[in-house]
Amino acid sequence: MSRSKNEQQVDLEKFNDMPSLFGYELIRDILIPNLLGADTHEILYWAGKELARQYPLKNRQDIIQFFDKSGFGLLKLSKGQHNKQIYTLSGEIVQARLEHVQSSFNLEAGFLAEQIQMQDSLYTEALTEVNKKTKIITFIVQSDAQDRLSIEEPLTHFILDDNKDNRDEKNSLMNDKLTESDEQALPSRSSRHKL
C-alpha cells in the first residue's frame, strides 16, 4: 500500500465551535445520499477508511478526541477484548441526525475500523447498529488475529494537541538547526514520531 497522498495537518483548536446541525445534516444526510443513491452506505464506509488514512492517529484516545472535534459525536469504548471491541456513539449531533432523516453512520464506522487496523496491524472491519429508541449508535469492531497486515506506517501521525504552550515549544525545537550527530539520532522514516 503506497502513501502517495500527503496526510493532513490541521489544528483542531480552530474548530472548537459546534458545527451547525442543519448544515451538517444537509450535507451528510440529504445531499450525499441524493448523489450516491443506493450505494450510499458502502461508499461512505470506504470513504471513512480513506479519511482515516489521511488522518492517521496514534492511539485510541486520539480516535475518541477526533470523533468529538470533527463533529462525528461522542465515541466511547463500551467493551474491549483482544480482537473485538464495541464502541458507542452518542451526543447532540447523533440525536439530531436520528430524529430528522434516515442517517448513515458508515463513514464513522469505516474511519474507526481503519484507524484500529493501522494501529494494530490486523485486518479490521466495523459493523453499525442503530438504536433509534436510545439514540445511540453501536460499532462492533472485529479484527482478524490470524491475518497480520504488512501495513506501511504513515510517515507522520495526525497529532491532537490541546496545549498551546506545548505546541509552541515543539515548533521552536523544530526550527533549531540540527548538527550532523543529531541527524543520526532522528527516527527512521517508518517509526512513529511527533512533528
Side-chain angles (χ1 to χ4, degrees), residues 8-178:
Q8 302 297 315
Q9 300 275 334
V10 175
D11 182 6
L12 288 180
E13 288 306 306
K14 294 178 183 175
F15 304 103
N16 277 334
D17 297 332
M18 182 74 155
S20 161
L21 292 178
F22 175 69
Y24 192 79
E25 277 185 70
L26 191 66
I27 293 170
R28 279 291 307 276
D29 299 321
I30 297 170
L31 179 63
I32 289 176
N34 247 352
L35 294 172
L36 301 178
D39 298 324
T40 298
H41 297 296
E42 292 80 12
I43 292 173
L44 283 176
Y45 184 81
W46 293 106
K49 285 180 136 324
E50 178 57 31
L51 188 62
R53 290 182 203 109
Q54 302 243 345
Y55 291 91
L57 302 170
K58 225 164 86 165
N59 55 46
R60 303 298 200 270
Q61 191 58 39
D62 283 353
I63 296 172
I64 290 168
Q65 188 178 3
F66 188 95
F67 265 69
D68 183 37
K69 293 284 188 176
S70 66
F72 286 170
L74 303 173
L75 187 68
K76 179 182 174 188
L77 177 63
S78 301
K79 186 178 179 184
Q81 299 170 344
H82 182 61
N83 297 325
K84 182 178 181 182
Q85 298 157 23
I86 299 175
Y87 288 87
T88 57
L89 184 66
S90 60
E92 184 181 341
I93 222 164
V94 173
Q95 290 176 4
R97 289 182 65 207
L98 288 173
E99 284 176 10
H100 300 291
V101 289
Q102 181 67 17
S103 304
S104 172
F105 292 89
N106 282 3
L107 179 78
E108 293 87 342
F111 183 86
L112 180 60
E114 187 68 20
Q115 288 292 349
I116 292 172
Q117 177 171 298
M118 289 188 299
Q119 290 175 13
D120 295 350
S121 296
L122 295 171
Y123 282 110
T124 303
E125 297 298 332
L127 297 173
T128 306
E129 292 179 359
V130 177
N131 188 331
K132 288 195 176 199
K133 264 187 188 175
T134 62
K135 298 193 184 329
I136 292 178
I137 310 304
T138 302
F139 299 117
I140 302 164
V141 182
Q142 184 75 41
S143 299
D144 185 356
Q146 303 301 315
D147 201 356
R148 291 207 97 32
L149 282 176
S150 60
I151 295 178
E152 180 181 322
E153 276 193 47
L155 299 177
T156 61
H157 285 87
F158 185 72
I159 305 299
L160 300 172
D161 190 0
D162 287 332
N163 187 346
K164 183 177 176 9
D165 295 331
N166 202 9
R167 252 193 334 259
D168 291 340
E169 182 180 314
K170 286 178 192 173
N171 288 339
S172 69
L173 288 174
M174 288 179 59
N175 292 332
D176 293 341
K177 291 187 178 186
L178 296 175

